[in-house]
């Protein structure tokens, strides 16, 4: 059972435009259906303004063991990228031995493309990007041009503070107090 996670708000919409999300979204992939539809969550956040979050049923789909394994790795990657930013605690771990014993988690987080299908290409690319060792990430940073912008904006977590993430375009002459590069006038 696949449920789309829709998040809306000024900052979410701005990040969607800047990062070229093109209608992609996260989703919940569950082994059993939700008993009823989930209510829309709407609240005012101090830093990012009004936020609306909806989880809606999208489709039913059979997932192979190989696909489920890939999804659990993606889920673990997402949890470690976001959860640790808040808790600063140990890494989240998915325990495959529990699967072998018949104990499955009730869901994993996946990614949908703009057509609403599971975005296997993006899932595998995310796993690959986040699994690179620190030295390889450092080398890639040093090899990138110091004078040209990146071909596409990226989310960047600096090595000196991996619990913080930024949207980067490449080198610029902007100062810290400059407006957001895609800020509406």
């Amino acid at each position: 059972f696949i449920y789309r996670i829709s998040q809306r708000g000024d900052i979410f919409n701005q990040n969607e435009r800047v990062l070229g999300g093109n209608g992609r979204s996260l989703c919940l992939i569950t082994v059993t259906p939700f008993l009823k539809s989930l209510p829309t969550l709407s609240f005012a956040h101090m830093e990012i303004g009004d936020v609306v979050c909806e989880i809606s049923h999208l489709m039913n789909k059979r997932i192979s063991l190989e696909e489920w394994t890939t999804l659990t790795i993606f889920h673990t990657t997402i949890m470690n990228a976001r959860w640790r930013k808040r808790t600063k605690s140990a890494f989240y771990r998915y325990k495959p031995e529990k699967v072998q014993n018949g104990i499955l988690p009730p869901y994993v987080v996946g990614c949908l493309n703009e057509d609403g299908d599971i975005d296997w290409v993006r899932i595998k690319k995310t796993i690959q990007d986040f699994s690179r060792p620190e030295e390889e990430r450092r080398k890639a940073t040093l090899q990138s041009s110091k004078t040209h912008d990146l071909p596409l904006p990226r989310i960047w977590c600096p090595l000196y503070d991996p619990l913080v993430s930024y949207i980067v375009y490449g080198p610029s002459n902007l100062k810290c107090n400059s407006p957001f590069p895609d800020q509406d006038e």
Side-chain angles (χ1 to χ4, degrees), residues 130-138:
F130 276 85
S131 65
R132 294 185 306 169
E134 182 177 322
E135 186 55 38
E136 185 179 326
R137 288 183 284 141
R138 187 175 305 216

Side-chain angles (χ1 to χ4, degrees), residues 108-126:
V108 291
V109 174
C111 181
L112 300 174
N113 62 24
E114 56 277 4
D115 297 325
D117 297 320
I118 296 175
D119 193 342
W120 293 109
V121 172
R122 190 165 191 89
I123 287 171
K124 290 174 182 175
K125 177 72 173 146
T126 300

Side-chain angles (χ1 to χ4, degrees), residues 28-164:
L28 293 176
I29 301 170
T30 66
V31 294
T32 58
F34 293 141
L35 296 177
K36 57 183 179 178
S37 62
L38 299 172
T40 298
L41 175 63
S42 186
F43 60 94
H45 189 278
M46 275 180 45
E47 295 175 0
I48 60 176
D50 292 333
V51 176
V52 177
C53 184
E54 293 178 297
I55 298 177
S56 56
H57 183 254
L58 184 62
M59 70 176 117
N60 299 341
K61 183 175 178 141
R62 289 183 92 45
I63 303 289
S64 71
L65 179 59
E66 181 181 341
E67 291 171 331
W68 182 262
T69 301
T70 300
L71 287 167
T72 60
I73 295 168
F74 179 76
H75 178 86
T76 302
T77 300
I78 295 298
M79 290 295 288
N80 283 324
R82 298 304 306 159
W83 180 260
R84 290 195 71 232
K85 289 178 191 295
R86 291 191 187 134
T87 64
K88 299 180 184 174
S89 66
F91 283 97
Y92 173 84
R93 289 179 184 85
Y94 180 84
K95 298 180 179 175
E97 65 274 6
K98 289 191 174 187
V99 174
Q100 294 168 353
N101 294 330
I103 303 170
L104 292 173
Y107 68 90
V108 291
V109 174
C111 181
L112 300 174
N113 62 24
E114 56 277 4
D115 297 325
D117 297 320
I118 296 175
D119 193 342
W120 293 109
V121 172
R122 190 165 191 89
I123 287 171
K124 290 174 182 175
K125 177 72 173 146
T126 300
I127 293 168
Q128 178 186 2
D129 283 351
F130 276 85
S131 65
R132 294 185 306 169
E134 182 177 322
E135 186 55 38
E136 185 179 326
R137 288 183 284 141
R138 187 175 305 216
K139 187 176 178 182
T141 302
L142 292 173
Q143 287 177 346
S144 64
S145 171
K146 295 179 180 174
T147 58
H148 296 88
D149 286 347
L150 298 169
L152 296 170
R154 302 269 317 220
I155 294 179
W156 173 65
C157 298
L159 295 173
Y160 60 84
D161 192 356
L163 301 175
V164 174

